[in-house]
Every structure is written in C-alpha cells, then in structure tokens.
Amino acid sequence: MIHYMSEESVLAIHQLTKQFGGHVAVKNVNLEIIKGDILGIIGPNGAGKSSFLNCIIGTYKPEIGEIFFKGENITSLSTHRIIRKGMSRTFQVPRVFQECTLLENMLTPVLHLKLPKNQLVRKASALLERLSIGGREHDLAMELSGGQQKLLEFARSLMLDPDVLLLDEPFAGVHPTLKEVMVQGIREVHKEGVTMMIVSHDLPPLYKLTNDIIVLNQGEIIARGNPKNLQNDSVVVNAYFGR
Ligand SMILES: Nc1ncnc2c1ncn2[C@@H]1O[C@H](COP(=O)(O)OP(=O)(O)O)[C@@H](O)[C@H]1O
Ligand SMILES: [Mg+2]
C-alpha cells in the first residue's frame, strides 16, 4: 500500500487502532503532523490519549494501522529503536530514578553514545539550568518536588536532541510557578525546531503553546481546531467541556 505523506510531515498516522481485550482505546486515528508544529491533545479521562502516545513510540503495538516517522514505517519497531531514530517522550507520572542523582538520570539516555563524558555532563547541566533545577546535579531525584521531577524528565528527554517529543500531561500536579517554567522550556525547545505532541487536561498552559488541538473521545478524534472553535463545537462540549 502506498501512503500519501506531504513533504514536511514528520509523523503520519494511518487508521491507528489499539484494543485491550474488547475495549477499543484508540479507534481509527488518522493524523499528520508537520515538522515544527505543536499539536495539543485533549479529551476526557480514559479517552485514549496516553495509549495513543504509547502506540506512536512503540510501547503499545496497534492491531490496525501504520505509523510513519520521517517517512519510515516504524509501526513494528521497538521503543528503543524509535528513540534512537529521534523520538522522545515524557510520562504522565514522571519516571525518574528516585535513588539516582539528577546527573545520573540525565545521562541514562546517552550512556550508549561514545561521546566524551565531560561534554555530556555540560549538556546535562545546561538543560537542568534552563529548567530551573540547575546546580543540583548531585542531589537525588527523590529530593525534588513532583513538579521538579517533571522538569527533570523533560530535561532528560532532550539529551538525545529529539526531532519529535511526546509530552504526556506535562503540567499535571505542577506548582503554578514551575508550570510557567515548563511552558517557557517547551517554547524554547520548540523554537529550536522540535516538533511536539502535548497531551494536557490543563488547558490554559496548553493554549499558551498552540492553537492546533485535537479532541479525543473514546479513542476517536472528534474535532480539531483552535480553542475558540472547540469551545463552540457542540460535539466537543458534550463529550468534554460539558462534564
Ligand atoms: N495497558 C493497558 N491495559 C489495559 N487497558 C488499558 C491499558 N492502557 C490503557 N488502557 C485502557 O484504555 C483506555 C484509555 O486509557 P488512556 O490511554 O490511559 O486514557 P487517557 O490517557 O486519555 O486518560 C482506558 O479505558 C484504559 O483503561
Ligand atoms: Mg493519560
């Protein structure tokens, strides 16, 4: 089968369906993401947002559908290989190594690279600094607040210079001050050319970052538009805002 993919598209998703037992978590999703875009993903709890990201980065294997990353079909590749091709992600509940230092956490994605350690350490320090947790390289991750752990995970996701970054609820449970740091950090990384998909049920910070938002409901994309379009869309209001 030949799939149309526009030249600037970095991710193309065709008819993606993921089921758990009889339950359809992601249902026939078609989507194309242009290089340099930020796509927001919203939808009620259980809509399939995290499952969708998990399918894209290879953690879940879809029953139906295909995913193209920079023109290559990655549907059957392992997460590990997809990451090495330039995709990265963060988790809804940050998965940092609590008993390791911030620096050790930062270096885990790059251990396989044969780069001089001091170069990697400098890069790690600069990223931590940028996300307001600089100078704490030798503290343990468990000493950070929940929001700071999200910033650490975000910083770590940048160590391999991804082309595409998938962020799952980056603002959830984050103190308002740190939320602003997160928004600013995402903005800067985006300016450097990273394409992003951001799942967020927290709408104000998401709206600061993008006008291009899809709404998932029961695994399906029920709308795509800017915040204003969506707030005036009765299907969206019923599925989401109405609750
Ligand atoms: N690993 C899994 N095993 C079984 N069911 C799952 C799994 N992951 C997600 N689901 C189910 O898929 C649906 C969508 O979940 P999820 O993707 O986490 O939604 P969201 O992130 O939008 O809240 C839910 O009904 C959830 O219980
Ligand atoms: Mg989720």
Side-chain angles (χ1 to χ4, degrees):
M1 207 195 305
I2 297 169
H3 287 286
Y4 167 77
M5 197 169 168
S6 70
E7 217 158 277
E8 339 80 280
S9 122
V10 63
L11 262 180
I13 292 149
H14 300 281
Q15 301 181 330
L16 190 75
T17 296
K18 175 66 197 168
Q19 302 183 184
F20 295 102
H23 181 78
V24 184
V26 180
K27 191 172 176 185
N28 193 28
V29 168
N30 292 285
L31 193 65
E32 197 174 339
I33 296 163
I34 304 299
K35 191 171 185 307
D37 278 0
I38 298 182
L39 179 74
I41 304 174
I42 67 174
N45 250 337
K49 305 180 297 294
S50 295
S51 299
F52 183 43
L53 296 191
N54 280 320
C55 287
I56 296 172
I57 203 157
T59 310
Y60 290 169
K61 289 299 163 201
E63 280 75 30
I64 307 172
E66 285 171 313
I67 301 159
F68 291 81
F69 179 36
K70 296 188 280 189
E72 181 185 355
N73 189 338
I74 59 161
T75 320
S76 59
L77 297 187
S78 66
T79 299
H80 182 71
R81 289 189 56 200
I82 296 172
I83 289 172
R84 289 194 183 185
K85 287 183 183 294
M87 201 186 296
S88 190
R89 64 100 49 100
T90 63
F91 293 88
Q92 189 163 344
V93 177
R95 296 194 185 173
V96 297
F97 302 108
Q98 297 289 340
E99 290 173 22
C100 294
T101 65
L102 272 61
L103 182 60
E104 286 163 345
N105 270 281
M106 290 297 285
L107 295 181
T108 45
V110 292
L111 288 175
H112 66 285
L113 299 178
K114 298 282 169 275
L115 287 174
K117 173 124 190 249
N118 61 0
Q119 188 180 324
L120 294 170
V121 170
R122 268 202 308 277
K123 182 171 184 173
S125 296
L127 285 169
L128 292 172
E129 184 71 47
R130 185 181 199 177
L131 293 168
S132 84
I133 41 177
R136 301 190 61 179
E137 287 83 346
H138 302 291
D139 288 357
L140 298 179
M142 63 169 73
E143 295 170 50
L144 299 179
S145 69
Q148 287 172 325
Q149 294 194 11
K150 289 215 145 179
L151 291 167
L152 170 61
E153 195 186 39
F154 178 51
R156 184 176 65 186
S157 76
L158 300 170
M159 281 300 285
L160 280 170
D161 297 318
D163 299 310
V164 169
L165 192 47
L166 313 179
L167 302 176
D168 199 350
E169 303 282 6
F171 312 111
V174 178
H175 185 276
T177 317
L178 293 184
K179 228 181 250 187
E180 200 43 51
V181 173
M182 183 70 89
V183 167
Q184 216 33 56
I186 292 172
R187 221 176 243 150
E188 283 176 27
V189 169
H190 174 241
K191 274 199 193 121
E192 288 164 11
V194 180
T195 307
M196 300 194 200
M197 292 174 76
I198 307 176
V199 166
S200 183
H201 71 259
D202 189 351
L203 303 181
L206 184 67
Y207 290 173
K208 287 183 186 170
L209 291 162
T210 183
N211 272 317
D212 182 15
I213 292 164
I214 61 170
V215 183
L216 277 184
N217 188 43
Q218 298 183 357
E220 282 183 288
I221 298 181
I222 58 167
R224 181 170 187 169
N226 64 37
K228 216 175 185 160
N229 304 147
L230 299 180
Q231 274 151 20
N232 294 325
D233 184 325
S234 61
V235 175
V236 175
V237 171
N238 286 338
Y240 189 36
F241 297 108
R243 289 193 185 185

